[in-house]
Amino acid sequence: QSALTQPPSASGSPGQSVTISCTGTSSDVGGYNYVSWYQQHPGKAPKLMIYEVSKRPSGVPDRFSGSKSGNTASLTVSGLQSEDEADYYCSSYAGSNNSVVFGGGTKLTVL
Amino acid sequence: EVQLVESGGGLVQPGRSLRLSCAASGFTFDDYAMHWVRQAPGKGLEWVSGISWNSDTIGYVDSVKGRFTISRDNAKNSLYLQMNSLRAEDTAFYYCAKDTNYGDYVGAFDIWGQGTTVTVSS
């Protein structure tokens, strides 16, 4: 049950695109199409932004997109807006012992 | 309105027990898997435990195995986390979260409660 690996920080200017990576193993990210991404603003509960690698829940802007290649998943935020500044976490179903694992989180700064 | 409301948190001494509850409303509770996720102060999210719709599938993070027990009462639309032998490192904000999947869980959490604080300290 090792945590997924995310960069601690990412940044971009308004209107630009930024991609956040999430690296796991064949036992989690690479083994299942159950990767999710969450946005968390300070003092707030997390919000689901992407699930099953690339699906967006109702109400999430299409500026947010997800993908996966091998053991690495990615979240891309296009057309950055100031309200996108937040912490972003990835997670994956890990199968063994019915577990779920999160990444360490990435702080996204909109310059 | 779809809602999850946690309760039962508080200050507890190391080695003691605490039981968290999560009351669900606004959706068919017994259709979905449910989870507990925690966040230590200033730290990231950590999945703690999950339970399928019928309690047949249950999982725990290694650090709580043998100490924590997840359960649910579908008749009461409620999820629980019995926490025994608490340690300082269990200090965190505990969230109840609904899985996106019918039945067994896939670890995607679309509805979150506002959380309850657990502080383990002497």
Side-chain angles (χ1 to χ4, degrees), chain A residues 98-100, chain B residues 34-38 46-51 57-61 64 68-71 79-81 95 97 105 109:
Chain A
N98 304 304
S99 63
V100 179
Chain B
M34 297 293 295
H35 302 264
W36 290 98
V37 177
R38 68 184 178 184
E46 180 182 42
W47 175 82
V48 175
S49 182
I51 186 168
T57 301
I58 286 175
Y60 299 96
V61 66
V64 309
F68 289 12
T69 302
I70 191 172
S71 63
L79 176 71
Y80 306 101
L81 186 67
Y95 292 102
Y105 57 84
F109 318 121

Side-chain angles (χ1 to χ4, degrees), chain A residues 1 34 36 38 40 43-48 50-52 57 87 89 91-93 97-105, chain B residues 35 37 39 43-47 57-63 65 95 100-101 105-110 112-114:
Chain A
Q1 294 179 339
Y34 292 132
S36 305
Y38 303 87
Q40 187 180 34
K44 300 294 187 180
K47 176 185 177 182
L48 180 66
I50 297 288
Y51 67 105
E52 293 179 19
D87 292 326
Y89 295 90
S91 74
S92 175
Y93 179 69
N97 299 315
N98 304 304
S99 63
V100 179
V101 62
F102 275 97
Chain B
H35 302 264
V37 177
Q39 187 167 32
K43 302 297 184 182
L45 301 172
E46 180 182 42
W47 175 82
T57 301
I58 286 175
Y60 299 96
V61 66
D62 284 346
S63 60
K65 283 181 181 175
Y95 292 102
T100 57
N101 203 48
Y105 57 84
V106 298
F109 318 121
D110 59 349
W112 296 67
Q114 286 306 298

Side-chain angles (χ1 to χ4, degrees), chain A residues 29-49:
Chain A
V29 174
Y32 305 91
N33 288 322
Y34 292 132
V35 176
S36 305
W37 290 90
Y38 303 87
Q39 176 191 68
Q40 187 180 34
H41 288 108
K44 300 294 187 180
K47 176 185 177 182
L48 180 66
M49 305 302 284

Side-chain angles (χ1 to χ4, degrees), chain B residues 29-32 52-55 72-78:
Chain B
F29 180 75
D30 53 12
D31 274 350
Y32 293 94
S52 63
W53 69 284
N54 61 357
S55 304
R72 64 189 295 162
D73 185 336
N74 288 341
K76 295 183 177 180
N77 289 347
S78 293

